[in-house]
Amino acid sequence: MLIDQDKSIKILIQRADRFGDTVLSFPIVDSIIKNHPKVTIDYLVSNEGKSAIELQPNIKKYWVFDSNHPLNSFLKLKNKLKNEKYDIFISLWNQDIFAFLGFYLNIPIRIGYKKKLIHNLFYTHLVRQEWNDFSKHEIEFNFMFLAKLGFKLKTWFSEIIVKEPI
């Protein structure tokens, strides 16, 4: 296993794109917690994903990243995120700014897509994904990131809390 089970860890998961993709990332949150109960999980989300994060009871803190203004968002958040001293960064949405962000924050374990040569520098653990494999669900692609942590248990369902009647 890549991480010490007896040690508390802080994880920053980045899914700063659409609402639905953020919701589909929730099973990895529950899988991480079941594999490592001494974990704090924070999220880096888009404005759209913010409302999804508020439904997930296992997220301790979230940061909003404006993908329409990536440089401004980076500059606004970089010091706040650096102060959090994360142990693991999981970048689920492949954008170069996020690959650089984990590297800049000097997070020891950085997991992300291998799409470009520069990603070899930015990530410590690379994930190859074959998006043309239409037999795989988005959740299965997300589980590929957990495999880099050595986690076996994968939970397909995630609890969400709806505060108001729909």
Side-chain angles (χ1 to χ4, degrees), residues 92-142:
L92 295 175
W93 186 38
N94 187 26
Q95 295 291 320
D96 290 342
I97 190 89
F98 300 122
F100 179 73
L101 178 65
F103 177 79
Y104 173 84
L105 297 175
N106 201 29
I107 299 172
I109 299 171
R110 301 179 304 276
I111 304 169
Y113 290 108
K114 178 177 176 53
K115 188 172 182 181
K116 298 177 182 174
L117 188 58
I118 192 87
H119 294 162
N120 291 322
L121 171 66
F122 291 153
Y123 294 122
T124 59
H125 297 79
L126 298 162
V127 175
R128 282 192 183 274
Q129 295 195 329
E130 300 297 328
W131 286 107
N132 58 355
D133 181 355
F134 299 115
S135 68
K136 285 191 179 177
H137 191 275
E138 177 78 19
I139 294 172
E140 289 177 278
F141 284 119
N142 290 340

